[in-house]
Amino acid sequence: MKQFQCISSPENERYKLAKALTKGHGRKKYGLFIVETPVLVLDVLKGGWHIEWVALTPHFAETAKGMEIIELAKGKAIDITLMKEKLMDEISTVESGGSVIAIVKQRHQNLSDIQLKQKDCVFILEDVQDPTNVGAIARIADAIGAAGIIATVGTADRYNPKVLRSSAGSALHITFVKVANTGELHGWLKENEFKVIATDPHYGECCYKYHFGERVAFLFGNEARGLSESMRSIADLTLTIPMHGRAESLNVSHACAILAYELLRQWYYADEMAKQHKGGE
């Protein structure tokens, strides 16, 4: 790999940039984000993202996966550099250390970018601060084919490395909109005929007794405080997930998964299950 320059000093400007992008203020300042792990780097290379440059450790560059990344980057005329293992490890947020990174331009998406189907749902996150929760919810949204995620400014950054990893790349696949104005959000939901559903661990209609409509917006609040009164005010109703043990509540991503798949069951499988049940009588 002699054709590539190798970053060997922490004074290198690219090293400094990559290090800055592991923090929220750095991502905000530069409008870029850092992608780690071979799987996620391949994901952005194949996903139409604007990539500034890619860096690999000399050892990883010699592997089959490393050579695949290099060939893809070359094909897209993306700048490639090497980086000493010690420096890559200092940048990496992965416990086992890093082998490859990509520096990628952020996408700023608006409510108008959300493409809706006749049957569709969105997840609205208010101050959900744990990146692993946001990542898990992004993965659920991607899995069920949701239109997207709408998040308040207090919610963990989509481009946080922990969000990207815990979503297994799904945060890069879905439409992800940040909103600061609840009024604008409420207007968009009404215009697009969403049934807006708040969630609560202690009260509300049982989620298994409620018949979902064709367009559903689920509201999920902060891990400790739940939903604010202003966000609750835009909900059409509140649903709860029944619990029969000693737990006081569910993790927000677990609650999201339960509601999402109950919605999917009703949309696509309820009639089929009813027919099977009737045929077995």
Side-chain angles (χ1 to χ4, degrees), residues 139-151:
R139 193 170 184 175
I140 294 161
D142 191 18
I144 71 165
I149 289 176
I150 302 168

Side-chain angles (χ1 to χ4, degrees), residues 40-48 51 54 69 72-73 76 78:
L40 293 182
V41 170
L42 283 169
D43 209 351
V44 292
L45 280 168
K46 296 174 181 178
I51 301 172
V54 172
I69 288 171
L72 274 172
K76 296 177 182 290
I78 295 167

Side-chain angles (χ1 to χ4, degrees), residues 165-274:
R165 286 203 311 278
S166 59
S167 76
S170 287
L172 299 171
H173 305 159
I174 62 171
T175 304
F176 200 113
V177 178
K178 277 284 181 88
V179 294
N181 189 321
T182 306
E184 178 190 3
L185 171 60
H186 192 198
W188 181 85
L189 292 167
K190 289 181 71 68
E191 178 185 345
N192 289 285
E193 300 180 331
F194 275 91
K195 180 69 75 172
V196 183
I197 297 175
T199 53
D200 192 276
H202 304 298
Y203 71 91
E205 186 175 343
C206 174
C207 64
Y208 299 120
K209 296 179 180 179
Y210 177 72
H211 179 71
F212 292 103
E214 290 192 331
R215 287 188 177 173
V216 178
F218 290 112
L219 304 178
F220 298 100
N222 176 267
E223 291 89 343
R225 301 185 302 273
L227 289 167
S228 68
E229 288 304 314
S230 62
M231 191 63 82
R232 284 190 183 277
S233 70
I234 73 172
D236 296 305
L237 75 155
T238 299
L239 292 184
T240 191
I241 299 168
M243 295 181 289
H244 298 281
R246 296 175 62 183
E248 292 187 2
S249 64
L250 293 169
N251 175 280
V252 64
S253 65
H254 298 167
C256 177
I258 291 168
L259 292 170
Y261 277 91
E262 174 58 19
L263 175 66
L264 217 62
R265 185 194 69 79
Q266 290 189 23
W267 276 354
Y268 301 114
Y269 304 106
D271 290 345
E272 180 181 337
M273 292 172 68

Side-chain angles (χ1 to χ4, degrees), residues 62-88:
E62 301 284 354
T63 67
K65 192 67 72 176
M67 287 187 280
E68 181 184 359
I69 288 171
I70 289 169
E71 288 307 308
L72 274 172
K74 279 183 176 179
K76 296 177 182 290
I78 295 167
D79 195 18
I80 303 165
T81 188
L82 301 179
M83 184 180 289
K84 291 289 187 180
E85 279 85 353
K86 182 177 184 297
L87 297 181
M88 186 72 80

Side-chain angles (χ1 to χ4, degrees), residues 1-220:
M1 295 295 169
K2 293 181 180 178
Q3 69 268 40
F4 303 126
Q5 290 187 335
C6 186
I7 297 170
S8 57
S9 168
E11 297 305 312
N12 182 280
E13 292 302 317
R14 286 194 168 182
Y15 169 83
K16 290 179 180 179
L17 173 63
K19 188 76 171 173
L21 296 180
T22 63
K23 305 297 182 182
H25 59 82
R27 293 190 293 273
K28 184 176 181 180
K29 178 180 179 180
Y30 295 106
L32 302 169
F33 67 103
I34 185 170
V35 173
E36 303 177 79
T37 78
V39 170
L40 293 182
V41 170
L42 283 169
D43 209 351
V44 292
L45 280 168
K46 296 174 181 178
W49 290 81
H50 178 86
I51 301 172
E52 298 284 319
W53 49 272
V54 172
L56 310 88
T57 63
H59 173 74
F60 180 71
E62 301 284 354
T63 67
K65 192 67 72 176
M67 287 187 280
E68 181 184 359
I69 288 171
I70 289 169
E71 288 307 308
L72 274 172
K74 279 183 176 179
K76 296 177 182 290
I78 295 167
D79 195 18
I80 303 165
T81 188
L82 301 179
M83 184 180 289
K84 291 289 187 180
E85 279 85 353
K86 182 177 184 297
L87 297 181
M88 186 72 80
D89 286 345
E90 289 174 0
I91 291 169
S92 179
T93 62
V94 181
E95 286 186 9
S96 58
S99 57
V100 59
I101 57 173
I103 304 303
V104 188
K105 187 175 181 180
Q106 295 178 21
R107 290 176 180 169
H108 297 287
Q109 296 174 307
N110 302 308
L111 292 171
S112 59
D113 294 316
I114 299 176
Q115 302 297 309
L116 296 171
K117 305 181 290 292
Q118 182 177 342
K119 288 182 178 179
D120 224 328
C121 77
V122 292
F123 299 148
I124 300 172
L125 311 184
E126 183 188 34
D127 298 343
V128 178
Q129 296 177 346
D130 187 333
T132 58
N133 284 335
V134 174
I137 291 171
R139 193 170 184 175
I140 294 161
D142 191 18
I144 71 165
I149 289 176
I150 302 168
T152 66
V153 292
T155 294
D157 177 12
R158 170 195 196 175
Y159 298 116
N160 183 308
K162 290 183 179 179
V163 171
L164 296 176
R165 286 203 311 278
S166 59
S167 76
S170 287
L172 299 171
H173 305 159
I174 62 171
T175 304
F176 200 113
V177 178
K178 277 284 181 88
V179 294
N181 189 321
T182 306
E184 178 190 3
L185 171 60
H186 192 198
W188 181 85
L189 292 167
K190 289 181 71 68
E191 178 185 345
N192 289 285
E193 300 180 331
F194 275 91
K195 180 69 75 172
V196 183
I197 297 175
T199 53
D200 192 276
H202 304 298
Y203 71 91
E205 186 175 343
C206 174
C207 64
Y208 299 120
K209 296 179 180 179
Y210 177 72
H211 179 71
F212 292 103
E214 290 192 331
R215 287 188 177 173
V216 178
F218 290 112
L219 304 178
F220 298 100

